[in-house]
């Protein structure tokens, strides 16, 4: 399984809200990010050190979606987390 | 990331410092929330410890700390339409062993106000303030002796307008709404003007009354109060469900208070009921609890001016009638 090579930033705090949604707080920038249920699945997967394949599997167990599309969505979310410096390389 | 140590500290106010919104924290170690209002406890602690330090943090610190608090989960919420016996009920909750009663803590009420005063089109801020509100209650509900088992929160009257949002945060927490005849409520507020009617930031009242800041500024106190309480009745009528108990001031008695406790899942011991009985004979907002309680419904009715009656009838009469009807339908006595 391909590793994400990413880990959630120590400077980021996550809090659950409204069932599956969440809020991320970047303690460095004081910026807040609202995560929908999909993004929270990816974030939780990163926290647990899961591989991309495992996160995609989590994704597919929650939503009816083709593997390719699920992989693309997960990758896009990982890219976004990197762009906003919410994750770092392991 | 260094963790800030605020063990024993509590957010006593929501403030803005140098343009940064956040919380003012005070060391409340050992403080007993014995006073009828949270702010009175804060004032006492300040007076007793004038050297006491206070700290400002932005909200991100609160979110960071939320998971570290050893807190009691909410047992019951008290909402009210002002001057209708809610302080008596909060005091009764205080008589229950192992209870923490948060009576209108400013940090809670000010964050709830931000649901109205700081909004964005995507609703992100609403979620953010919901997270902050949950965390503030958790911070204020921290165990201080280790024996606390119950947490009651009494919200300020304007928070009635936000019951729906509050319910989304704590969907399973039972809540009671106390209300009173509109004429008596308006007379009481006009005789002794409360801060919420004098709030210079009129955005909250504009939202509650469904008008504008300018319109609120132009209203007489009687009209403003009538429209606000009419809105509270209407909201309560709309949102009351099986987790809600409606209680009219005219029903208030020790027996009814016991029923509220039961509704909250609490069975008071005989000694606790004795305390509640004693409390009910004194004026609930008195710090010394020595001023005797005097039933004043008839006196308030006699004191009502024609303008009060007209405003009550025009803006609050119908929603009050509907709320009463709902109470009698869902909670027959």
């Amino acid at each position: 399984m391909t590793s994400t090579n990413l880990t959630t930033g120590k400077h980021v705090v996550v809090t659950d809200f409204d069932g599956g949604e969440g809020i991320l707080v970047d303690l460095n920038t004081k910026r807040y990010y609202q995560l929908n249920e999909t993004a929270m699945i990816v974030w939780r997967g990163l926290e647990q050190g899961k591989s991309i394949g495992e996160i995609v599997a989590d994704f597919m167990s929650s939503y009816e979606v083709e593997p390719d599309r699920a992989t693309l969505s997960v990758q896009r979310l990982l890219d976004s987390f990197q762009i906003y410096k919410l994750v770092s390389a392991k | 990331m260094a963790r800030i140590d605020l063990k024993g500290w509590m957010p006593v106010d929501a403030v803005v410092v140098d343009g940064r919104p956040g919380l003012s924290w005070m060391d409340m170690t050992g403080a007993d929330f014995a006073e009828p209002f949270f702010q009175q406890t804060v004032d006492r602690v300040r007076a007793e410890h004038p050297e006491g330090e206070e700290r400002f943090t932005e909200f991100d610190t609160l979110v960071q700390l939320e998971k570290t608090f050893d807190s009691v989960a909410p047992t019951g919420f008290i909402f009210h339409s002002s001057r209708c016996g809610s302080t008596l009920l909060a005091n009764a909750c205080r008589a229950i062993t192992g209870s923490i009663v948060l009576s209108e803590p400013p940090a809670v009420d000010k964050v709830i106000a931000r649901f109205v005063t700081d909004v964005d089109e995507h609703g992100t801020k609403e979620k953010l303030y919901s997270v902050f509100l949950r965390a503030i209650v958790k911070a204020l509900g921290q165990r201080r002796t280790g024996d606390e088992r119950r947490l009651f929160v009494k919200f300020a009257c304007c928070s009635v307008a936000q019951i729906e949002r509050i319910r989304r945060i704590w969907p399973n927490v039972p809540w009671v709404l106390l209300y009173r005849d509109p004429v008596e409520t308006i007379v009481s507020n006009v005789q002794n003007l409360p801060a919420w009617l004098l709030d210079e930031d009129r955005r909250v009242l504009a939202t509650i009354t469904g008008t504008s800041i300018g319109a609120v500024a132009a209203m007489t106190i009687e009209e403003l109060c009538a429209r606000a309480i009419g809105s509270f009745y209407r909201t309560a009528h709309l949102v009351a469900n099986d987790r809600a108990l409606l209680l009219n001031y005219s029903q208030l008695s020790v027996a009814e208070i016991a029923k509220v406790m039961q509704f909250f899942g609490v069975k008071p011991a005989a000694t606790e009921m004795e305390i509640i009985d004693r409390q009910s004979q004194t004026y609930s907002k008195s710090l010394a609890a020595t001023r005797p309680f005097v039933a004043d419904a008839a006196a308030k009715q006699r004191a009502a001016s024609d303008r009060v009656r007209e405003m009550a009838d025009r803006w609050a009469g119908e929603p009050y009638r509907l709320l009463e009807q709902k109470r009698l339908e869902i909670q027959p006595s």
Side-chain angles (χ1 to χ4, degrees):
Chain A
M1 290 250 176
T2 316
S3 161
T4 62
N5 281 323
L6 295 172
T7 184
T8 54
K10 287 190 168 58
H11 61 290
V12 181
V13 179
V14 63
T15 185
D16 294 318
F17 180 72
D18 227 6
E21 296 183 23
I23 301 275
L24 291 187
V25 187
D26 182 332
L27 299 174
N28 289 342
T29 63
K30 310 270 185 198
R31 293 192 69 159
Y32 295 86
Y33 301 86
Q34 183 185 343
L35 301 193
N36 60 19
E37 291 181 28
T38 315
M40 276 299 276
I41 289 173
V42 178
W43 187 264
R44 292 298 186 202
L46 286 176
E47 282 184 328
Q48 292 160 25
K50 289 183 175 177
S51 67
I52 290 183
E54 288 169 324
I55 296 173
V56 169
D58 287 347
F59 197 94
M60 290 175 63
S61 68
S62 300
Y63 301 97
E64 276 186 34
V65 58
E66 295 299 316
D68 288 353
R69 200 172 163 76
T71 306
L72 189 64
S73 296
V74 169
Q75 194 55 60
R76 278 189 184 150
L77 283 162
L78 292 174
D79 291 345
S80 296
F81 291 151
Q82 282 185 285
I83 289 167
Y84 291 111
K85 296 185 170 56
L86 300 169
V87 293
S88 52
K90 278 180 186 168
Chain B
M1 204 82 206
R3 192 174 291 286
I4 297 169
D5 183 14
L6 285 171
K7 192 171 170 52
W9 290 60
M10 291 190 176
V12 295
D13 205 355
V15 292
V16 178
V17 174
D18 299 330
R20 298 174 301 149
L23 295 165
S24 174
W25 297 74
M26 253 176 78
D27 186 355
M28 302 289 278
T29 307
D32 186 6
F33 297 162
E35 289 77 7
F37 288 91
F38 181 83
Q39 186 58 46
Q40 292 169 332
T41 303
V42 171
D43 293 342
R44 172 175 56 81
V45 173
R46 275 194 187 123
E48 286 172 358
H49 304 282
E51 76 293 349
E53 190 191 348
E54 294 188 27
R55 289 189 203 170
F56 168 79
T57 71
E58 290 179 68
F59 282 112
D60 59 289
T61 304
L62 175 74
V63 179
Q64 196 182 357
L65 291 173
E66 185 187 2
K67 292 185 182 82
T68 69
F69 296 135
D70 171 27
S71 310
V72 185
T75 306
F77 291 148
I78 301 169
F79 293 98
H80 64 97
S81 61
S82 92
R83 309 293 170 86
C84 55
S86 59
T87 306
L88 173 67
L89 184 58
N91 290 348
C93 292
R94 208 169 274 116
I96 305 297
T97 308
S99 66
I100 301 171
V101 180
L102 304 173
S103 189
E104 305 192 11
V108 166
D109 296 322
K110 286 186 184 174
V111 166
I112 289 173
R114 291 208 180 130
F115 283 132
V116 171
T117 59
D118 189 19
V119 292
D120 61 355
E121 56 178 316
H122 304 296
T124 304
K125 286 191 172 176
E126 178 185 337
K127 294 202 169 156
L128 209 49
Y129 286 124
S130 296
V131 165
F132 295 159
L133 180 58
R134 183 182 66 186
I136 289 169
V137 168
K138 225 171 158 185
L140 292 169
Q142 289 179 81
R143 287 187 179 83
R144 282 158 297 139
T145 65
D147 296 331
E148 296 90 341
R149 300 186 304 280
R150 297 187 182 94
L151 173 66
F152 301 95
V153 184
K154 179 191 161 208
F155 295 91
C157 64
C158 289
S159 300
V160 170
Q162 304 299 331
I163 286 182
E164 207 40 32
R165 286 185 169 108
I166 295 168
R167 221 172 53 168
R168 276 186 67 192
I169 304 170
W170 294 281
N172 299 316
V173 176
W175 54 276
V176 59
L177 176 104
L178 280 115
Y179 60 102
R180 184 178 184 176
D181 172 273
V183 168
E184 293 163 28
T185 308
I186 300 168
V187 167
S188 176
N189 278 294
V190 170
Q191 284 176 342
N192 185 7
L193 282 171
W196 67 273
L197 276 177
L198 300 171
D199 189 359
E200 285 181 10
D201 181 349
R202 298 189 173 100
R203 289 174 293 177
V204 172
L205 282 170
T207 304
I208 288 170
T209 56
T211 59
S212 64
I213 291 168
V216 168
M219 283 179 206
T220 61
I221 283 291
E222 290 88 346
E223 180 177 352
L224 183 57
C225 186
R227 291 174 78 135
I229 62 172
S231 167
F232 299 154
Y233 301 149
R234 203 173 300 113
T235 300
H237 176 258
L238 273 176
V239 302
N241 60 4
D242 61 341
R243 305 303 293 157
L245 184 72
L246 302 174
L247 186 62
N248 193 314
Y249 173 87
S250 64
Q251 297 174 273
L252 266 181
S253 65
V254 174
E256 283 299 327
I257 290 172
K259 280 188 198 169
V260 175
M261 294 297 166
Q262 232 168 5
F263 182 72
F264 284 158
V266 178
K267 192 174 183 314
T271 48
E272 292 166 343
M273 284 309 299
E274 279 170 28
I275 297 170
I276 293 170
D277 190 21
R278 271 203 306 277
Q279 282 175 343
S280 70
Q281 294 166 32
T282 59
Y283 178 60
S284 62
K285 292 174 182 169
S286 156
L287 278 172
T290 50
R291 187 172 146 194
F293 169 74
V294 181
D296 64 352
K300 291 276 187 290
Q301 289 287 349
R302 279 195 303 274
S305 64
D306 289 345
R307 184 192 287 182
V308 166
R309 291 193 183 283
E310 186 199 336
M311 291 297 122
D313 186 50
R314 185 185 300 175
W315 300 110
E318 181 65 2
Y320 177 74
R321 193 186 60 74
L322 289 172
L323 188 58
E324 274 291 85
Q325 196 178 319
K326 185 164 192 175
R327 174 177 68 82
L328 295 169
E329 277 168 13
I330 63 173
Q331 291 146 202
S333 50

